[in-house]
Amino acid sequence: MRLTLPQYYYDGSFKPFDNLLTNGLPREKYQADIPLVSAGEFMDQTYYVHQGIIKLYIISNNGKEKTEWFIGPGGLFPLYSPLERRYKGERDELLVKTQTPTTLTRISQSRIQQLIQDNPDFAKVMLRQYADFTAILLYDIINLASASSMTKVCNYIYQYVKVLQPNGIVLSQEEIANNIGIPLLTLSRILKKLRAQGIINTGWKKIQVLNWQALLDYCSSELIDN
């Protein structure tokens, strides 16, 4: 069986339950960069994405936004958060806002809870999505703790070009540096080196890989296996 690489983006998982999730609820339109869950708020409601992209992010120690996950059409976030549980980290550190103009349906966590109880197929998808969410967080922690700056950058470039750009996610070099967890100057130096070696080409908020094998030579083993 081919192993699955944790990805910074997901969509479509909850599309089969569109009617169950949104029946009787209004669609709301938001511009880009609009907070949906802010610091000091519990995740008492979730958002089903009809169009556009939202993101989960944290504020790092230096005050920069670090995006952990992007959610596209047919995606749901926050995932189920039991109403009887109140984690301080959830309230103070996990934030959600729109990445692009979006159309969303706001759903109460009590409704999600009822769907989980009543619909085994929905419960299975929710559990699988939690597994994917946990996988990307663990991947990020391991990557940040053990990889060199060059490896971190090449790992992110791999996902950025393979997954994020094709889904319309456009990031500045400063945003990429924040997401990787390195200074912007370090990222700029590594990108310059990769350009000089003919591995990548960069434009305005765009990266093109010219030599995939050379990029993978700098990546960690889980990307090479994929």
Side-chain angles (χ1 to χ4, degrees):
M1 178 181 293
R2 189 175 179 84
L3 298 177
T4 299
L5 178 71
Q7 296 186 358
Y8 291 110
Y9 172 86
Y10 98 90
D11 63 7
S13 295
F14 292 95
K15 183 65 176 175
F17 310 99
D18 188 307
N19 290 334
L20 284 174
L21 285 164
T22 66
N23 185 39
L25 299 175
R27 295 190 180 195
E28 304 174 12
K29 292 187 177 181
Y30 295 83
Q31 295 301 311
D33 207 36
I34 300 299
L36 301 173
V37 178
S38 301
E41 294 181 348
F42 285 109
M43 295 185 177
D44 291 337
Q45 54 191 356
T46 186
Y47 295 88
Y48 178 78
V49 183
H50 297 281
Q51 293 179 315
I53 297 168
I54 64 176
K55 67 178 183 180
L56 165 71
Y57 68 102
I58 62 173
I59 303 296
S60 61
N61 292 334
N62 60 7
K64 302 292 187 179
E65 289 186 7
K66 173 176 167 50
T67 300
E68 296 289 351
W69 223 20
F70 296 95
I71 301 96
L76 182 75
F77 203 84
L79 299 173
Y80 174 53
S81 180
L83 298 174
E84 68 275 11
R85 309 299 288 175
R86 285 293 182 263
Y87 296 109
K88 187 176 186 297
E90 177 186 296
R91 184 195 66 192
D92 296 342
E93 298 171 12
L94 301 181
L95 313 174
V96 183
K97 68 178 176 181
T98 57
Q99 173 73 17
T100 67
T102 57
T103 301
L104 308 169
T105 292
R106 190 191 310 250
I107 306 167
S108 69
Q109 287 287 358
S110 58
R111 182 168 179 149
I112 298 296
Q113 183 181 58
Q114 192 64 51
L115 281 172
I116 289 173
Q117 292 173 347
D118 296 344
N119 192 310
D121 290 335
F122 180 82
K124 289 177 184 177
V125 172
M126 181 64 72
L127 184 59
R128 186 185 66 202
Q129 211 55 57
Y130 255 112
D132 288 347
F133 182 39
T134 302
I136 190 60
L137 293 180
L138 288 173
Y139 167 77
D140 204 39
I141 290 170
I142 295 169
N143 190 44
L144 288 174
S146 61
S148 67
S149 292
M150 172 63 85
T151 299
K152 291 176 188 176
V153 170
C154 290
N155 285 352
Y156 202 88
I157 288 174
Y158 180 94
Q159 292 225 21
Y160 187 65
V161 176
K162 288 279 192 179
V163 180
L164 301 185
Q165 281 186 162
N167 285 289
I169 298 170
V170 180
L171 304 175
S172 67
Q173 288 190 15
E174 182 176 11
E175 289 172 315
I176 292 174
N178 293 340
N179 294 347
I180 296 172
I182 62 174
L184 177 58
L185 182 58
T186 301
L187 174 66
S188 298
R189 287 173 176 168
I190 291 173
L191 293 179
K192 181 179 180 180
K193 180 177 180 179
L194 295 174
R195 286 195 299 268
Q197 294 178 0
I199 297 174
I200 66 168
N201 188 26
T202 59
W204 187 78
K205 295 186 179 182
K206 183 177 179 63
I207 299 176
Q208 179 185 15
V209 176
L210 305 176
N211 187 332
W212 280 104
Q213 185 55 56
L215 178 74
L216 288 171
D217 287 344
Y218 282 121
C219 289
S220 51
S221 59
E222 67 272 9
L223 274 75
I224 297 171
D225 291 340
N226 274 265

PDB file of all heavy atoms in Angstrom, residues 170-198:
ATOM      1  N   VAL A 170      -2.244  31.239  -2.646  1.00  0.00           N
ATOM      2  CA  VAL A 170      -1.099  32.051  -3.037  1.00  0.00           C
ATOM      3  C   VAL A 170      -0.514  32.685  -1.785  1.00  0.00           C
ATOM      4  O   VAL A 170      -1.207  33.393  -1.052  1.00  0.00           O
ATOM      5  CB  VAL A 170      -1.519  33.140  -4.049  1.00  0.00           C
ATOM      6  CG1 VAL A 170      -0.323  33.985  -4.447  1.00  0.00           C
ATOM      7  CG2 VAL A 170      -2.172  32.509  -5.272  1.00  0.00           C
ATOM      8  N   LEU A 171       0.767  32.435  -1.529  1.00  0.00           N
ATOM      9  CA  LEU A 171       1.420  32.925  -0.326  1.00  0.00           C
ATOM     10  C   LEU A 171       2.640  33.767  -0.685  1.00  0.00           C
ATOM     11  O   LEU A 171       3.358  33.466  -1.644  1.00  0.00           O
ATOM     12  CB  LEU A 171       1.869  31.759   0.564  1.00  0.00           C
ATOM     13  CG  LEU A 171       0.793  30.763   0.998  1.00  0.00           C
ATOM     14  CD1 LEU A 171       1.440  29.615   1.771  1.00  0.00           C
ATOM     15  CD2 LEU A 171      -0.269  31.447   1.848  1.00  0.00           C
ATOM     16  N   SER A 172       2.881  34.805   0.092  1.00  0.00           N
ATOM     17  CA  SER A 172       4.095  35.592  -0.063  1.00  0.00           C
ATOM     18  C   SER A 172       5.266  34.843   0.563  1.00  0.00           C
ATOM     19  O   SER A 172       5.084  33.886   1.318  1.00  0.00           O
ATOM     20  CB  SER A 172       3.941  36.951   0.625  1.00  0.00           C
ATOM     21  OG  SER A 172       3.839  36.783   2.037  1.00  0.00           O
ATOM     22  N   GLN A 173       6.489  35.273   0.268  1.00  0.00           N
ATOM     23  CA  GLN A 173       7.653  34.637   0.876  1.00  0.00           C
ATOM     24  C   GLN A 173       7.632  34.824   2.392  1.00  0.00           C
ATOM     25  O   GLN A 173       8.055  33.924   3.130  1.00  0.00           O
ATOM     26  CB  GLN A 173       8.939  35.209   0.282  1.00  0.00           C
ATOM     27  CG  GLN A 173       9.194  34.749  -1.138  1.00  0.00           C
ATOM     28  CD  GLN A 173      10.573  35.113  -1.654  1.00  0.00           C
ATOM     29  OE1 GLN A 173      11.464  35.470  -0.889  1.00  0.00           O
ATOM     30  NE2 GLN A 173      10.757  35.018  -2.958  1.00  0.00           N
ATOM     31  N   GLU A 174       7.142  35.948   2.874  1.00  0.00           N
ATOM     32  CA  GLU A 174       7.048  36.153   4.315  1.00  0.00           C
ATOM     33  C   GLU A 174       6.076  35.156   4.943  1.00  0.00           C
ATOM     34  O   GLU A 174       6.356  34.580   6.007  1.00  0.00           O
ATOM     35  CB  GLU A 174       6.596  37.576   4.635  1.00  0.00           C
ATOM     36  CG  GLU A 174       6.527  37.858   6.131  1.00  0.00           C
ATOM     37  CD  GLU A 174       6.165  39.291   6.454  1.00  0.00           C
ATOM     38  OE1 GLU A 174       5.765  40.032   5.529  1.00  0.00           O
ATOM     39  OE2 GLU A 174       6.267  39.682   7.631  1.00  0.00           O
ATOM     40  N   GLU A 175       4.941  34.906   4.291  1.00  0.00           N
ATOM     41  CA  GLU A 175       3.977  33.929   4.802  1.00  0.00           C
ATOM     42  C   GLU A 175       4.575  32.528   4.794  1.00  0.00           C
ATOM     43  O   GLU A 175       4.387  31.757   5.751  1.00  0.00           O
ATOM     44  CB  GLU A 175       2.697  33.973   3.962  1.00  0.00           C
ATOM     45  CG  GLU A 175       1.863  35.220   4.173  1.00  0.00           C
ATOM     46  CD  GLU A 175       0.707  35.320   3.196  1.00  0.00           C
ATOM     47  OE1 GLU A 175       0.919  35.084   1.977  1.00  0.00           O
ATOM     48  OE2 GLU A 175      -0.412  35.633   3.635  1.00  0.00           O
ATOM     49  N   ILE A 176       5.295  32.187   3.740  1.00  0.00           N
ATOM     50  CA  ILE A 176       5.932  30.868   3.676  1.00  0.00           C
ATOM     51  C   ILE A 176       6.953  30.715   4.792  1.00  0.00           C
ATOM     52  O   ILE A 176       7.007  29.687   5.468  1.00  0.00           O
ATOM     53  CB  ILE A 176       6.576  30.649   2.294  1.00  0.00           C
ATOM     54  CG1 ILE A 176       5.493  30.532   1.207  1.00  0.00           C
ATOM     55  CG2 ILE A 176       7.462  29.404   2.287  1.00  0.00           C
ATOM     56  CD1 ILE A 176       6.029  30.464  -0.204  1.00  0.00           C
ATOM     57  N   ALA A 177       7.763  31.737   5.006  1.00  0.00           N
ATOM     58  CA  ALA A 177       8.767  31.687   6.077  1.00  0.00           C
ATOM     59  C   ALA A 177       8.101  31.496   7.435  1.00  0.00           C
ATOM     60  O   ALA A 177       8.562  30.698   8.265  1.00  0.00           O
ATOM     61  CB  ALA A 177       9.607  32.962   6.063  1.00  0.00           C
ATOM     62  N   ASN A 178       7.012  32.227   7.684  1.00  0.00           N
ATOM     63  CA  ASN A 178       6.292  32.089   8.951  1.00  0.00           C
ATOM     64  C   ASN A 178       5.734  30.677   9.119  1.00  0.00           C
ATOM     65  O   ASN A 178       5.778  30.093  10.205  1.00  0.00           O
ATOM     66  CB  ASN A 178       5.159  33.109   9.032  1.00  0.00           C
ATOM     67  CG  ASN A 178       5.656  34.529   9.123  1.00  0.00           C
ATOM     68  OD1 ASN A 178       6.802  34.782   9.494  1.00  0.00           O
ATOM     69  ND2 ASN A 178       4.801  35.482   8.773  1.00  0.00           N
ATOM     70  N   ASN A 179       5.174  30.127   8.032  1.00  0.00           N
ATOM     71  CA  ASN A 179       4.595  28.780   8.101  1.00  0.00           C
ATOM     72  C   ASN A 179       5.657  27.713   8.346  1.00  0.00           C
ATOM     73  O   ASN A 179       5.409  26.713   9.023  1.00  0.00           O
ATOM     74  CB  ASN A 179       3.821  28.464   6.823  1.00  0.00           C
ATOM     75  CG  ASN A 179       2.595  29.331   6.650  1.00  0.00           C
ATOM     76  OD1 ASN A 179       2.172  30.008   7.582  1.00  0.00           O
ATOM     77  ND2 ASN A 179       2.029  29.338   5.460  1.00  0.00           N
ATOM     78  N   ILE A 180       6.843  27.924   7.785  1.00  0.00           N
ATOM     79  CA  ILE A 180       7.933  26.970   7.986  1.00  0.00           C
ATOM     80  C   ILE A 180       8.542  27.139   9.374  1.00  0.00           C
ATOM     81  O   ILE A 180       9.024  26.185   9.972  1.00  0.00           O
ATOM     82  CB  ILE A 180       9.018  27.160   6.898  1.00  0.00           C
ATOM     83  CG1 ILE A 180       8.434  26.837   5.511  1.00  0.00           C
ATOM     84  CG2 ILE A 180      10.238  26.294   7.171  1.00  0.00           C
ATOM     85  CD1 ILE A 180       9.352  27.182   4.369  1.00  0.00           C
ATOM     86  N   GLY A 181       8.530  28.385   9.869  1.00  0.00           N
ATOM     87  CA  GLY A 181       9.117  28.661  11.181  1.00  0.00           C
ATOM     88  C   GLY A 181      10.570  29.076  11.112  1.00  0.00           C
ATOM     89  O   GLY A 181      11.360  28.763  12.000  1.00  0.00           O
ATOM     90  N   ILE A 182      10.934  29.789  10.031  1.00  0.00           N
ATOM     91  CA  ILE A 182      12.298  30.287   9.888  1.00  0.00           C
ATOM     92  C   ILE A 182      12.250  31.777   9.557  1.00  0.00           C
ATOM     93  O   ILE A 182      11.223  32.287   9.083  1.00  0.00           O
ATOM     94  CB  ILE A 182      13.065  29.538   8.776  1.00  0.00           C
ATOM     95  CG1 ILE A 182      12.383  29.747   7.417  1.00  0.00           C
ATOM     96  CG2 ILE A 182      13.191  28.064   9.103  1.00  0.00           C
ATOM     97  CD1 ILE A 182      13.166  29.160   6.258  1.00  0.00           C
ATOM     98  N   PRO A 183      13.350  32.522   9.788  1.00  0.00           N
ATOM     99  CA  PRO A 183      13.374  33.943   9.421  1.00  0.00           C
ATOM    100  C   PRO A 183      13.242  34.129   7.909  1.00  0.00           C
ATOM    101  O   PRO A 183      13.689  33.275   7.123  1.00  0.00           O
ATOM    102  CB  PRO A 183      14.747  34.415   9.922  1.00  0.00           C
ATOM    103  CG  PRO A 183      15.149  33.421  10.960  1.00  0.00           C
ATOM    104  CD  PRO A 183      14.572  32.110  10.503  1.00  0.00           C
ATOM    105  N   LEU A 184      12.654  35.235   7.509  1.00  0.00           N
ATOM    106  CA  LEU A 184      12.498  35.536   6.084  1.00  0.00           C
ATOM    107  C   LEU A 184      13.850  35.586   5.388  1.00  0.00           C
ATOM    108  O   LEU A 184      13.984  35.127   4.246  1.00  0.00           O
ATOM    109  CB  LEU A 184      11.759  36.866   5.912  1.00  0.00           C
ATOM    110  CG  LEU A 184      11.581  37.374   4.480  1.00  0.00           C
ATOM    111  CD1 LEU A 184      10.831  36.362   3.621  1.00  0.00           C
ATOM    112  CD2 LEU A 184      10.852  38.719   4.485  1.00  0.00           C
ATOM    113  N   LEU A 185      14.866  36.128   6.049  1.00  0.00           N
ATOM    114  CA  LEU A 185      16.199  36.214   5.447  1.00  0.00           C
ATOM    115  C   LEU A 185      16.751  34.824   5.143  1.00  0.00           C
ATOM    116  O   LEU A 185      17.361  34.602   4.086  1.00  0.00           O
ATOM    117  CB  LEU A 185      17.148  36.967   6.382  1.00  0.00           C
ATOM    118  CG  LEU A 185      18.580  37.169   5.866  1.00  0.00           C
ATOM    119  CD1 LEU A 185      18.578  37.930   4.546  1.00  0.00           C
ATOM    120  CD2 LEU A 185      19.430  37.907   6.907  1.00  0.00           C
ATOM    121  N   THR A 186      16.527  33.881   6.050  1.00  0.00           N
ATOM    122  CA  THR A 186      16.979  32.503   5.814  1.00  0.00           C
ATOM    123  C   THR A 186      16.278  31.906   4.604  1.00  0.00           C
ATOM    124  O   THR A 186      16.904  31.262   3.751  1.00  0.00           O
ATOM    125  CB  THR A 186      16.709  31.636   7.054  1.00  0.00           C
ATOM    126  OG1 THR A 186      17.406  32.188   8.174  1.00  0.00           O
ATOM    127  CG2 THR A 186      17.176  30.200   6.825  1.00  0.00           C
ATOM    128  N   LEU A 187      14.956  32.112   4.507  1.00  0.00           N
ATOM    129  CA  LEU A 187      14.218  31.613   3.348  1.00  0.00           C
ATOM    130  C   LEU A 187      14.752  32.223   2.062  1.00  0.00           C
ATOM    131  O   LEU A 187      14.962  31.522   1.068  1.00  0.00           O
ATOM    132  CB  LEU A 187      12.727  31.929   3.497  1.00  0.00           C
ATOM    133  CG  LEU A 187      11.866  31.586   2.278  1.00  0.00           C
ATOM    134  CD1 LEU A 187      11.826  30.081   2.045  1.00  0.00           C
ATOM    135  CD2 LEU A 187      10.446  32.132   2.442  1.00  0.00           C
ATOM    136  N   SER A 188      14.983  33.527   2.065  1.00  0.00           N
ATOM    137  CA  SER A 188      15.464  34.215   0.858  1.00  0.00           C
ATOM    138  C   SER A 188      16.799  33.649   0.399  1.00  0.00           C
ATOM    139  O   SER A 188      17.032  33.452  -0.809  1.00  0.00           O
ATOM    140  CB  SER A 188      15.596  35.716   1.129  1.00  0.00           C
ATOM    141  OG  SER A 188      14.344  36.281   1.454  1.00  0.00           O
ATOM    142  N   ARG A 189      17.685  33.359   1.351  1.00  0.00           N
ATOM    143  CA  ARG A 189      19.000  32.812   1.000  1.00  0.00           C
ATOM    144  C   ARG A 189      18.872  31.410   0.400  1.00  0.00           C
ATOM    145  O   ARG A 189      19.560  31.077  -0.566  1.00  0.00           O
ATOM    146  CB  ARG A 189      19.887  32.766   2.250  1.00  0.00           C
ATOM    147  CG  ARG A 189      20.382  34.138   2.712  1.00  0.00           C
ATOM    148  CD  ARG A 189      21.099  34.040   4.050  1.00  0.00           C
ATOM    149  NE  ARG A 189      21.655  35.330   4.451  1.00  0.00           N
ATOM    150  CZ  ARG A 189      22.130  35.592   5.660  1.00  0.00           C
ATOM    151  NH1 ARG A 189      22.114  34.628   6.588  1.00  0.00           N
ATOM    152  NH2 ARG A 189      22.623  36.773   5.949  1.00  0.00           N
ATOM    153  N   ILE A 190      17.977  30.602   0.963  1.00  0.00           N
ATOM    154  CA  ILE A 190      17.799  29.235   0.454  1.00  0.00           C
ATOM    155  C   ILE A 190      17.163  29.266  -0.931  1.00  0.00           C
ATOM    156  O   ILE A 190      17.579  28.521  -1.834  1.00  0.00           O
ATOM    157  CB  ILE A 190      16.962  28.408   1.437  1.00  0.00           C
ATOM    158  CG1 ILE A 190      17.764  28.165   2.718  1.00  0.00           C
ATOM    159  CG2 ILE A 190      16.547  27.077   0.808  1.00  0.00           C
ATOM    160  CD1 ILE A 190      16.972  27.506   3.826  1.00  0.00           C
ATOM    161  N   LEU A 191      16.159  30.119  -1.131  1.00  0.00           N
ATOM    162  CA  LEU A 191      15.547  30.235  -2.451  1.00  0.00           C
ATOM    163  C   LEU A 191      16.566  30.690  -3.494  1.00  0.00           C
ATOM    164  O   LEU A 191      16.570  30.197  -4.632  1.00  0.00           O
ATOM    165  CB  LEU A 191      14.369  31.209  -2.404  1.00  0.00           C
ATOM    166  CG  LEU A 191      13.154  30.783  -1.585  1.00  0.00           C
ATOM    167  CD1 LEU A 191      12.079  31.861  -1.624  1.00  0.00           C
ATOM    168  CD2 LEU A 191      12.587  29.458  -2.074  1.00  0.00           C
ATOM    169  N   LYS A 192      17.433  31.603  -3.095  1.00  0.00           N
ATOM    170  CA  LYS A 192      18.486  32.078  -4.010  1.00  0.00           C
ATOM    171  C   LYS A 192      19.405  30.922  -4.404  1.00  0.00           C
ATOM    172  O   LYS A 192      19.777  30.775  -5.579  1.00  0.00           O
ATOM    173  CB  LYS A 192      19.281  33.195  -3.344  1.00  0.00           C
ATOM    174  CG  LYS A 192      20.385  33.780  -4.227  1.00  0.00           C
ATOM    175  CD  LYS A 192      21.117  34.912  -3.509  1.00  0.00           C
ATOM    176  CE  LYS A 192      22.229  35.492  -4.390  1.00  0.00           C
ATOM    177  NZ  LYS A 192      22.948  36.596  -3.700  1.00  0.00           N
ATOM    178  N   LYS A 193      19.770  30.093  -3.433  1.00  0.00           N
ATOM    179  CA  LYS A 193      20.629  28.946  -3.708  1.00  0.00           C
ATOM    180  C   LYS A 193      19.937  27.952  -4.638  1.00  0.00           C
ATOM    181  O   LYS A 193      20.548  27.439  -5.583  1.00  0.00           O
ATOM    182  CB  LYS A 193      21.008  28.255  -2.403  1.00  0.00           C
ATOM    183  CG  LYS A 193      21.907  27.040  -2.580  1.00  0.00           C
ATOM    184  CD  LYS A 193      22.307  26.450  -1.236  1.00  0.00           C
ATOM    185  CE  LYS A 193      23.210  25.225  -1.419  1.00  0.00           C
ATOM    186  NZ  LYS A 193      23.641  24.654  -0.119  1.00  0.00           N
ATOM    187  N   LEU A 194      18.661  27.683  -4.388  1.00  0.00           N
ATOM    188  CA  LEU A 194      17.913  26.748  -5.228  1.00  0.00           C
ATOM    189  C   LEU A 194      17.749  27.283  -6.649  1.00  0.00           C
ATOM    190  O   LEU A 194      17.794  26.511  -7.616  1.00  0.00           O
ATOM    191  CB  LEU A 194      16.547  26.459  -4.605  1.00  0.00           C
ATOM    192  CG  LEU A 194      16.559  25.719  -3.260  1.00  0.00           C
ATOM    193  CD1 LEU A 194      15.144  25.633  -2.690  1.00  0.00           C
ATOM    194  CD2 LEU A 194      17.160  24.329  -3.402  1.00  0.00           C
ATOM    195  N   ARG A 195      17.554  28.591  -6.774  1.00  0.00           N
ATOM    196  CA  ARG A 195      17.489  29.197  -8.119  1.00  0.00           C
ATOM    197  C   ARG A 195      18.829  29.064  -8.836  1.00  0.00           C
ATOM    198  O   ARG A 195      18.877  28.734 -10.027  1.00  0.00           O
ATOM    199  CB  ARG A 195      17.074  30.661  -8.026  1.00  0.00           C
ATOM    200  CG  ARG A 195      15.607  30.886  -7.698  1.00  0.00           C
ATOM    201  CD  ARG A 195      15.202  32.333  -7.975  1.00  0.00           C
ATOM    202  NE  ARG A 195      15.968  33.266  -7.164  1.00  0.00           N
ATOM    203  CZ  ARG A 195      15.569  33.718  -5.966  1.00  0.00           C
ATOM    204  NH1 ARG A 195      14.403  33.325  -5.467  1.00  0.00           N
ATOM    205  NH2 ARG A 195      16.319  34.563  -5.286  1.00  0.00           N
ATOM    206  N   ALA A 196      19.915  29.339  -8.110  1.00  0.00           N
ATOM    207  CA  ALA A 196      21.246  29.275  -8.712  1.00  0.00           C
ATOM    208  C   ALA A 196      21.572  27.868  -9.193  1.00  0.00           C
ATOM    209  O   ALA A 196      22.313  27.693 -10.180  1.00  0.00           O
ATOM    210  CB  ALA A 196      22.293  29.749  -7.704  1.00  0.00           C
ATOM    211  N   GLN A 197      21.034  26.855  -8.518  1.00  0.00           N
ATOM    212  CA  GLN A 197      21.272  25.464  -8.904  1.00  0.00           C
ATOM    213  C   GLN A 197      20.295  24.975  -9.974  1.00  0.00           C
ATOM    214  O   GLN A 197      20.344  23.819 -10.379  1.00  0.00           O
ATOM    215  CB  GLN A 197      21.181  24.556  -7.668  1.00  0.00           C
ATOM    216  CG  GLN A 197      22.279  24.813  -6.651  1.00  0.00           C
ATOM    217  CD  GLN A 197      22.153  23.936  -5.415  1.00  0.00           C
ATOM    218  OE1 GLN A 197      21.235  23.124  -5.290  1.00  0.00           O
ATOM    219  NE2 GLN A 197      23.078  24.100  -4.480  1.00  0.00           N
ATOM    220  N   GLY A 198      19.401  25.853 -10.406  1.00  0.00           N
ATOM    221  CA  GLY A 198      18.452  25.489 -11.452  1.00  0.00           C
ATOM    222  C   GLY A 198      17.352  24.558 -10.982  1.00  0.00           C
ATOM    223  O   GLY A 198      16.728  23.868 -11.797  1.00  0.00           O
TER     224      GLY A 198
END
